[in-house]
Amino acid sequence: MIATKAISRRDFLKLAGASAGGLAAMAALGHGFKTLSASEARQQQEAGKRVVYTACVMCPAECGLAVEVENGVISNIYGNIHVPYNSGTVCTKGVAGLQLVYNVNRIKYPMIRVGERGEGKFKRVSWEEALDYIATKLIEIKQKYGAESVIMDCGDVTDLDPYYYYLFRAFGTPHTVEHGSICDTPRRHGPKLMFGGKRIEPDIMRPVLVRQPDGSLKNDYSYRTRLIIYVGWNPFTATRINYESRGTVEARLAGARIIVIDPAFSNTATKADRWIPVRPGTDADLFAAMLRYILENHRDDDPFRRYIDWSFKEYSQGWEEFEAAFRSWWDRKDPLNGLPYFSLEWAAERTGIDAQTIAELAHTFGITKPAALVWGMNGIGHHYNGYVASILGTALNVITGNM
Amino acid sequence: MGATWKRADGIVVINYDQCIGCRYCITACPYAARSFDAGYFYSDFEGGQPQPYELLPSPEYGQGRVRRRDASPIGNVRKCHFCLHRIERGQLPACVLSCMGRATYFGDLNDPQSLVAELVSQPNVIRLKEELGTEPNVFYLV
């Protein structure tokens, strides 16, 4: 952790978007340039410019943007400093959003192919004509071959997928495929089943707006998470959860321990406290062993082994059945390796991580609070073992009181 | 020609009205920080005319410079000027504001109380090509 002097890293972030409010602090940074008053700065900043606040659609992250418009033409795309999600940041892909508006090859009106496929011959038509053309063709096909002869297939259209989906359901075909059909489903399966959420993320989005007792909203910059375990999740590379790239580093500087479990030595692993390589596709085995270790070794009367926070029972139901079903496997032996299911040795044989490390991992996760066990798109989100892994992972987060 | 120099605050700047575009400074720069503006617009590569957004003035060295064919800064050498126009009105450089990973910092190194002075006093700091004695003011926290 870095000791702070006149300006802490946190203050630095506060004035990263320094407009009027941040100027006094900017002077404290000692930049050596002239310092303007708040009104002077605003005048200079806004001369001849208009700022339009909008959202980015270049990727599913949908960051808040502040778009500067000069005489009716977009001049700059900046992140919106008031949106905590991206906190004033914007990536180069977002800035390239200019090309959505101004690219010379942008298609601005409907075109119907007139030549052979691949010939590149199109004619410009009105929206009326285009819609009629598509509707006539679709109805023709429906009458001739039936509605189910049509497959709707679209890519990731940034949260517009449901409209395509509903349109073709209304048309009468159940054959709808879009990006969400094949991507990230296993990761969300457990949280969706168990508490209706989508995915579990660590509490490291800073600043975050917090309602104060007097009703006002205040930005909170403090990190409370003490341990983050990333399983098959590499937030330092391009990802829609973009606050995790800066939040992970800042949380670590604020004292959190970062453990990365990934077959590859990923970017995130380079900055983590510990990297544990795992055999691909065995994350569920690891989670099962962690859950068994925590259940077997939990002691209510020993502060060094009090892993489970029983208060979760007040807010949930069905733990008894879940636990009984899970425990019922413990005495059985896996025919593949002859070891009892979910034991440390069993998991060691399956995952390639030695038993001692798994025990350590389970103990660390159980004893450190607040902690977060996070699994990601890169591994669990795209593997059939992810369905089980996300259920076990959710249970682990819930019973240790980290939900 | 005296078209480029290091300011007292450490920022290396270029005077476009002095620069004749000989490009010797590009080969002389050990950090490959400079590039020649040959006059292309993004839309050229897309097969069209320059679009209105490409013809907006960009704030450089205190002037709103419009890129027009056959006029400065086209035909000059250009480089990062640490967003002088932003610094002068008390804002951080755009890359510091925009960085997704919050990996960049900017400030006055001469002020021992500043955050950057504190950061570069750590042991895990390097500068590129120190053996050349150029005393660069860009530090890498590794």
Side-chain angles (χ1 to χ4, degrees):
Chain A
M1 194 173 164
I2 291 175
T4 49
K5 288 185 198 164
I7 284 272
S8 68
R9 298 170 78 94
R10 197 179 297 166
D11 289 333
F12 186 81
L13 296 188
K14 278 185 202 168
L15 61 94
S19 57
L23 280 165
M26 190 72 197
L29 261 180
H31 52 66
F33 298 97
K34 73 178 166 186
T35 306
L36 306 179
S37 76
S39 60
E40 277 177 323
R42 195 172 296 135
Q43 251 173 14
Q44 284 207 8
Q45 199 175 347
E46 291 171 359
K49 282 186 189 175
R50 194 161 62 91
V51 178
V52 178
Y53 295 100
T54 181
C56 185
V57 288
M58 295 296 278
C59 95
E62 291 160 10
C63 296
L65 294 183
V67 178
E68 289 184 358
V69 182
E70 255 173 87
N71 304 321
V73 181
I74 300 173
S75 59
N76 278 314
I77 297 181
Y78 287 115
N80 184 350
I81 191 76
H82 304 295
V83 174
Y85 184 76
N86 59 320
S87 173
T89 69
V90 62
C91 70
T92 43
K93 191 174 179 179
V95 175
L98 264 177
Q99 299 300 326
L100 276 186
V101 186
Y102 295 131
N103 194 292
V104 293
N105 293 321
R106 176 184 168 193
I107 300 167
K108 293 175 182 160
Y109 15 75
M111 310 277 273
I112 292 180
R113 176 162 60 83
V114 287
E116 280 303 301
R117 184 186 286 256
E119 226 182 331
K121 281 187 187 157
F122 293 89
K123 79 166 184 235
R124 179 181 169 179
V125 294
S126 69
W127 281 105
E128 284 290 289
E129 285 174 84
L131 291 173
D132 282 349
Y133 181 81
I134 297 167
T136 318
K137 280 251 163 165
L138 275 174
I139 289 165
E140 223 176 86
I141 295 167
K142 190 174 178 176
Q143 281 168 345
K144 211 166 167 186
Y145 305 105
E148 293 191 15
S149 63
V150 178
I151 293 174
M152 187 282 292
D153 191 357
C154 71
D156 187 357
V157 279
T158 306
D159 295 348
L160 297 175
D161 335 21
Y163 298 108
Y164 288 69
Y165 177 83
Y166 291 132
L167 170 67
F168 280 81
R169 278 292 164 103
F171 176 74
T173 177
H175 308 312
T176 51
V177 184
E178 42 88 30
H179 149 261
S181 318
I182 51 166
C183 181
D184 212 24
T185 323
R187 172 159 69 133
R188 305 173 187 198
H189 182 70
K192 188 93 187 164
L193 272 185
M194 295 167 85
F195 49 76
K198 275 172 97 181
R199 40 169 110 76
I200 292 168
E201 302 294 347
D203 174 30
I204 52 174
M205 184 172 85
R206 295 293 181 273
V208 68
L209 279 171
V210 179
R211 179 76 65 189
Q212 302 298 308
D214 66 357
S216 63
L217 281 168
K218 212 174 137 195
N219 272 329
D220 182 10
Y221 289 85
S222 57
Y223 292 88
R224 290 178 194 84
T225 308
R226 304 260 65 91
L227 170 73
I228 304 172
I229 304 178
Y230 287 124
V231 186
W233 181 223
N234 186 11
F236 286 7
T237 55
T239 157
R240 69 190 298 182
I241 322 288
N242 66 61
Y243 62 81
E244 279 183 15
S245 58
R246 51 190 177 276
T248 303
V249 178
E250 292 293 332
R252 184 162 175 267
L253 290 167
R257 223 170 108 83
I258 315 289
I259 299 175
V260 172
I261 299 170
D262 199 313
F265 189 59
S266 62
N267 287 16
T268 311
T270 62
K271 298 284 181 195
D273 294 284
R274 188 160 187 199
W275 168 58
I276 303 174
V278 62
R279 187 172 296 145
T282 60
D283 307 293
D285 309 61
L286 176 66
F287 286 180
M290 283 170 71
L291 186 55
R292 176 167 177 172
Y293 182 90
I294 284 177
L295 289 175
E296 275 184 333
N297 292 283
H298 168 80
R299 297 286 177 277
D300 276 327
D301 50 3
D302 182 353
F304 296 106
R305 288 166 80 184
R306 200 183 291 138
Y307 302 135
I308 301 174
D309 183 348
W310 292 112
S311 66
F312 81 88
K313 284 191 165 186
E314 292 168 34
Y315 310 101
S316 62
Q317 53 189 23
W319 167 250
E320 281 72 22
E321 290 114 284
F322 183 94
E323 193 191 7
F326 185 69
R327 276 179 189 271
S328 71
W329 286 85
W330 291 9
D331 301 328
R332 297 189 221 169
K333 288 205 168 121
D334 188 341
L336 288 178
N337 53 19
L339 296 165
Y341 277 106
F342 316 147
S343 62
L344 292 177
E345 295 69 31
W346 174 84
E349 204 273 332
R350 304 268 302 170
T351 60
I353 307 170
D354 62 282
Q356 181 60 33
T357 307
I358 299 174
E360 246 177 68
L361 190 66
H363 172 79
T364 313
F365 176 66
I367 208 74
T368 318
K369 292 171 205 292
L373 178 66
V374 186
W375 52 93
M377 281 194 254
N378 313 75
I380 287 171
H382 288 101
H383 197 283
Y384 59 81
N385 97 86
Y387 289 99
V388 181
S390 63
I391 292 172
L392 291 168
T394 308
L396 275 167
N397 273 313
V398 169
I399 64 166
T400 50
N402 287 312
M403 224 42 242
Chain B
M1 301 299 292
T4 181
W5 66 95
K6 193 172 191 172
R7 287 168 32 140
D9 56 37
I11 297 176
V12 177
V13 293
I14 297 170
N15 183 344
Y16 291 153
D17 298 324
Q18 291 279 316
C19 171
I20 58 168
C22 70
R23 289 170 256 180
Y24 275 112
C25 64
I26 295 181
T27 47
C29 176
Y31 301 102
R34 291 161 175 258
S35 55
F36 182 67
D37 188 340
Y40 294 114
F41 290 86
Y42 184 84
S43 298
D44 292 342
F45 299 99
E46 299 279 300
Q49 290 299 309
Q51 296 298 296
Y53 81 94
E54 291 172 296
L55 301 170
L56 285 174
S58 71
E60 286 181 63
Y61 308 120
Q63 280 184 48
R65 293 268 184 180
V66 181
R67 284 182 84 230
R68 283 200 197 87
R69 311 255 187 215
D70 305 323
S72 285
I74 287 176
N76 296 138
V77 169
R78 301 174 77 185
K79 69 182 285 294
C80 162
H81 48 77
F82 293 88
C83 284
L84 270 173
H85 58 291
R86 286 177 64 91
I87 300 168
E88 275 167 3
R89 62 186 187 215
Q91 292 176 307
L92 290 166
C95 64
V96 178
L97 170 66
S98 306
C99 179
M100 277 280 156
R102 289 260 183 261
T104 47
Y105 295 88
F106 180 87
D108 184 1
L109 208 54
N110 292 326
D111 176 3
Q113 291 298 304
S114 71
L115 176 65
V116 283
E118 182 199 320
L119 289 170
V120 301
S121 66
Q122 294 173 95
N124 58 341
V125 175
I126 59 160
R127 291 194 288 183
L128 296 180
K129 299 188 181 171
E130 286 204 64
E131 68 279 8
L132 297 177
T134 51
E135 297 291 322
N137 287 319
V138 178
F139 294 79
Y140 292 83
L141 311 172
V142 291

